[in-house]
């Protein structure tokens, strides 16, 4: 079956521009995650969506970052007024969460490599 | 203090060696623990879950020490193909969510 799909795979943008990154999770997965990974670094948690609950936004680095998940499926991560330090790989993952417990591994997309010039 | 911490390494070991990584977590209420493997320029993939009693999968053994708040991954008889970055992941457990926090990863290089 189809895995997690992210688009675009690469994005080069000028400093100050807005960007939108898209994630299409695995069908039926209730949980969706966004992480950021800079070169040689680990995964930095950004935001987590679970069903109809309010998202956990505790990892968003500034108010220039926002994300939404429409209809419990596709998610869009928006970065406004991009800065050079926003350059990283943005990874989306989805999983099945039942009864509040993580019941399946996270399945990651291939990521969007964002370069801010 | 970071929620989840790992020694970034790199760990350089010869083929056949046994190597172990630790990962500490700060939230004592953490409920679920995992090891992920990430190859260069690829997405992370689940290697194994970590159970309270410890668990083994072939050459890989994972253990949890709740008292000291760390998990470990032991790799026996290292293969060249084990070269990768190993990320620990912890579900903080607060509010019963599926949120998962990753460590920065430990890089393993297995040499011939």
């Amino acid at each position: 079956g189809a895995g997690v799909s992210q688009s675009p795979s690469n994005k080069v943008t000028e400093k100050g521009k807005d960007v939108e990154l898209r994630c299409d999770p695995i069908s039926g997965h209730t949980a969706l995650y966004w992480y950021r990974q800079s070169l040689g670094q680990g995964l930095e948690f950004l935001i987590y969506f679970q069903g109809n609950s309010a998202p956990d936004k505790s990892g968003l680095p500034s108010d220039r970052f926002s994300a939404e998940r429409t209809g419990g499926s596709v998610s869009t991560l928006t970065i406004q007024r991009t800065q050079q330090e926003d350059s990283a790989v943005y990874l989306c993952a989805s999983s099945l969460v039942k009864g509040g417990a993580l019941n399946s591994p996270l399945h990651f997309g291939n990521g969007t490599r964002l370069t801010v010039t | 203090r970071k929620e989840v911490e790992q020694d970034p390494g790199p760990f350089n070991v010869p083929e056949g060696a046994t190597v172990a990584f630790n990962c500490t977590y700060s939230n004592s209420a953490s409920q679920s623990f995992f090891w992920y493997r990430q190859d260069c320029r690829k997405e992370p993939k689940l290697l194994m879950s970590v159970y309270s009693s410890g668990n083994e999968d072939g050459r890989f053994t994972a253990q949890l020490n709740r008292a000291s708040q760390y998990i470990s991954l032991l790799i026996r008889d290292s293969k060249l193909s084990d070269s990768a970055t190993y990320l620990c992941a912890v579900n903080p457990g607060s509010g019963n969510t599926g949120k998962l926090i990753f460590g920065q990863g430990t890089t393993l290089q297995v040499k011939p």
Side-chain angles (χ1 to χ4, degrees):
Chain A
V4 176
S5 177
Q6 290 188 246
S7 61
S9 54
N10 279 286
K11 176 72 177 178
V12 180
T13 190
E14 291 180 355
K15 177 181 171 181
K17 301 278 189 183
D18 298 353
V19 294
E20 281 191 357
L21 313 180
R22 177 189 166 105
C23 173
D24 210 330
I26 292 173
S27 178
H29 277 191
T30 54
L32 187 146
Y33 310 72
W34 282 100
Y35 294 90
R36 176 169 74 174
Q37 188 170 36
S38 301
L39 190 63
Q41 301 297 310
L43 274 66
E44 177 187 2
F45 170 79
L46 297 178
I47 189 169
Y48 162 68
F49 295 90
Q50 167 53 27
N52 295 322
S53 302
D56 182 333
K57 303 179 182 181
S58 58
L60 294 178
S62 78
D63 59 8
R64 295 186 296 105
F65 288 72
S66 63
E68 61 179 28
R69 188 180 184 193
T70 52
S73 181
V74 172
S75 176
T76 303
L77 177 69
T78 302
I79 309 174
Q80 296 178 310
R81 305 180 303 282
T82 52
Q83 303 294 313
Q84 287 186 330
E85 60 262 28
D86 299 335
S87 297
V89 176
Y90 288 81
L91 287 161
C92 175
S94 70
S95 73
L96 189 61
V97 175
K98 282 185 179 178
L102 187 57
N103 284 293
S104 78
L106 269 61
H107 295 264
F108 285 85
N110 292 329
T112 293
R113 185 173 299 276
L114 175 66
T115 304
V116 182
T117 61
Chain B
R1 182 184 172 187
K2 289 183 180 178
E3 286 190 77
V4 181
E5 291 197 77
Q6 295 180 252
D7 178 350
F11 284 62
N12 295 300
V13 302
E15 270 187 291
T18 295
V19 62
F21 314 132
N22 282 345
C23 166
T24 59
Y25 60 94
S26 61
N27 187 343
S28 59
S30 297
Q31 296 184 347
S32 308
F33 309 87
F34 308 89
W35 284 101
Y36 279 74
R37 170 186 169 137
Q38 186 174 26
D39 292 296
C40 190
R41 300 180 78 88
K42 297 283 190 182
E43 74 277 15
K45 293 187 178 177
L46 180 70
L47 177 65
M48 58 196 302
S49 302
V50 185
Y51 301 124
S52 298
S53 54
N55 49 297
E56 194 173 297
D57 183 1
R59 298 180 294 107
F60 298 83
T61 300
Q63 292 199 310
L64 167 64
N65 185 317
R66 283 198 182 272
S68 300
Q69 293 182 207
Y70 74 86
I71 62 172
S72 64
L73 177 68
L74 181 80
I75 305 175
R76 290 182 299 277
D77 188 23
S78 300
K79 311 290 185 193
L80 295 176
S81 56
D82 293 334
S83 297
T85 296
Y86 291 84
L87 299 152
C88 64
V90 176
N91 175 248
S94 55
N96 283 328
T97 78
K99 179 178 176 180
L100 207 58
I101 303 296
F102 285 81
Q104 68 202 93
T106 297
T107 299
L108 172 66
Q109 283 284 347
V110 182
K111 308 283 188 182

